[in-house]
Amino acid sequence: MSKKSRRRSEILSILADEPTTRVKALASRLEVTTETIRRDLEELAEQGLISRTYGGAMLRAGNEPVLSHRERQLVSEREAIARRAVPELAEGKTFMMGSGATTATVARRMAFEMRNITVIAHSFAVATALAQNPTIRILMVPGEYHAGEGAMHGAQAIRFLQDYSADWVILGASALSPDGPSDALIEAGDVYATMLRQSSQNLVVADHSKFDRMATARYARWSDIDTIISDKAPEGPLAKVLDRNEVRLLVS
């Protein structure tokens, strides 16, 4: 492995442990100039491995595995998030819900604890979980089916959602960066942004593995988000931006 390749491998390793490391800090640790680090970061960004930020860089969230695989990961963390989320939703009667392993876990908890509500869902996993409770009315969003996510996307889904409103929208995320929550699927980002516009209150549910990462489709800025529930509290720039935008943070 060349010296340049080893250095770039070290940069990725450092960013994995310290997502908000700055250019000057990287240059000092690796004993090279800041210009060298900037060139390294630019090439890593061109390869899609990182995203450049002001004065530094951030790892990009990798391509997410299919939903059936994600559902087997971080199970206890998602269940704790769901237990914390449902009491926050108790006064709601109409909901929109995004797709993903965490939202499906919240849906199972809603089916156990809530009655006589209406949920507009584009995820079959969410709809199936809610269907365990016969008092819950489910409206399934039409559109183009994404097999890996088990959810409906596209223009037809957007048009459908624009005809409805909800008390709450519950959304997951592939990544949470200081710029906002984002999803690995561009199509999902479009659906989530529409659901946000159609709902009075919103809630993002995401475990700590999403902190300080960036995914392809940012669907909101933090100024658009009311509440986030996670299994841990973020630190550094993400924590500061949540506080600055008055996002209510709840830890399960």
Side-chain angles (χ1 to χ4, degrees), residues 183-191 216-217:
D183 199 87
L185 290 175
I186 294 173
E187 300 92 335
D190 293 338
V191 169
T216 303

Side-chain angles (χ1 to χ4, degrees), residues 13-42:
S13 179
I14 291 169
L15 289 174
D17 293 332
E18 304 170 40
T20 56
T21 303
R22 313 292 282 181
V23 167
K24 288 184 178 179
L26 286 170
S28 177
R29 288 180 63 169
L30 298 176
E31 298 181 338
V32 296
T33 66
T34 56
E35 289 75 13
T36 296
I37 291 296
R38 288 193 179 94
R39 286 196 296 271
D40 288 337
L41 295 179
E42 291 299 332

Side-chain angles (χ1 to χ4, degrees), residues 8 11-12 15 23 26 34-58:
R8 291 178 180 179
I11 289 171
L12 293 174
L15 289 174
V23 167
L26 286 170
T34 56
E35 289 75 13
T36 296
I37 291 296
R38 288 193 179 94
R39 286 196 296 271
D40 288 337
L41 295 179
E42 291 299 332
E43 291 196 24
L44 289 169
E46 288 175 5
Q47 295 169 23
L49 297 174
I50 65 170
S51 292
R52 294 286 273 120
T53 63
Y54 182 75
M58 183 174 294

Side-chain angles (χ1 to χ4, degrees), residues 78-93 95 105-115 117 168 170 201-203 205 227 229 248 250-252:
R78 289 199 308 275
E79 289 176 346
I81 290 169
R83 287 193 298 271
R84 186 68 180 85
V86 170
E88 297 296 315
L89 307 171
E91 300 302 317
K93 293 299 181 184
F95 302 86
T105 304
V106 173
R108 285 192 289 273
R109 195 75 192 181
M110 291 170 69
F112 181 72
E113 294 191 23
M114 302 180 77
R115 295 176 58 83
I117 61 173
W168 280 92
I170 306 153
Q201 300 180 82
N202 59 70
L203 169 64
V205 289
T227 304
I229 299 180
R248 190 165 64 121
L250 302 177
V251 178
S252 57

Side-chain angles (χ1 to χ4, degrees), residues 225-238:
I225 301 301
D226 299 323
T227 304
I228 179 171
I229 299 180
S230 187
D231 58 307
K232 292 183 181 180
E235 300 176 352
L238 180 56

Side-chain angles (χ1 to χ4, degrees), residues 2-252:
S2 69
K3 182 185 295 187
K4 182 168 70 172
S5 296
R6 279 198 302 273
R7 187 175 63 248
R8 291 178 180 179
S9 178
E10 288 183 52
I11 289 171
L12 293 174
S13 179
I14 291 169
L15 289 174
D17 293 332
E18 304 170 40
T20 56
T21 303
R22 313 292 282 181
V23 167
K24 288 184 178 179
L26 286 170
S28 177
R29 288 180 63 169
L30 298 176
E31 298 181 338
V32 296
T33 66
T34 56
E35 289 75 13
T36 296
I37 291 296
R38 288 193 179 94
R39 286 196 296 271
D40 288 337
L41 295 179
E42 291 299 332
E43 291 196 24
L44 289 169
E46 288 175 5
Q47 295 169 23
L49 297 174
I50 65 170
S51 292
R52 294 286 273 120
T53 63
Y54 182 75
M58 183 174 294
L59 285 180
R60 289 188 60 80
N63 291 330
E64 284 196 310
V66 296
L67 179 63
S68 59
H69 179 74
R70 302 203 312 272
E71 287 178 330
R72 298 192 293 271
Q73 301 173 330
L74 299 169
V75 173
S76 61
E77 288 86 349
R78 289 199 308 275
E79 289 176 346
I81 290 169
R83 287 193 298 271
R84 186 68 180 85
V86 170
E88 297 296 315
L89 307 171
E91 300 302 317
K93 293 299 181 184
T94 305
F95 302 86
M96 291 184 178
M97 294 189 71
S99 60
T102 306
T103 48
T105 304
V106 173
R108 285 192 289 273
R109 195 75 192 181
M110 291 170 69
F112 181 72
E113 294 191 23
M114 302 180 77
R115 295 176 58 83
N116 300 316
I117 61 173
T118 297
V119 180
I120 301 167
H122 77 128
S123 160
F124 284 92
V126 166
T128 300
L130 294 167
Q132 302 304 309
N133 183 334
T135 75
I136 297 178
R137 184 186 185 198
I138 304 162
L139 277 68
M140 196 69 205
V141 175
E144 182 178 351
Y145 180 65
H146 188 286
E149 192 66 11
M152 309 300 284
H153 301 117
Q156 189 175 6
I158 301 301
R159 287 195 298 271
F160 178 88
L161 289 166
Q162 289 170 342
D163 286 335
Y164 293 89
S165 60
D167 300 318
W168 280 92
V169 59
I170 306 153
L171 300 172
S174 301
L176 304 175
S177 82
D179 287 335
S182 55
D183 199 87
L185 290 175
I186 294 173
E187 300 92 335
D190 293 338
V191 169
Y192 294 177
T194 303
M195 287 181 166
L196 279 167
R197 289 192 293 269
Q198 302 302 118
S199 300
S200 299
Q201 300 180 82
N202 59 70
L203 169 64
V204 173
V205 289
D207 66 75
H208 70 278
S209 70
K210 313 299 175 63
F211 293 170
D212 294 306
R213 297 288 187 270
M214 298 181 75
T216 303
R218 185 186 66 194
Y219 59 80
R221 295 186 180 276
W222 288 118
S223 57
D224 302 319
I225 301 301
D226 299 323
T227 304
I228 179 171
I229 299 180
S230 187
D231 58 307
K232 292 183 181 180
E235 300 176 352
L238 180 56
K240 291 178 182 178
V241 77
L242 293 179
D243 182 64
R244 186 165 63 246
N245 286 281
E246 300 182 344
V247 179
R248 190 165 64 121
L249 171 66
L250 302 177
V251 178
S252 57

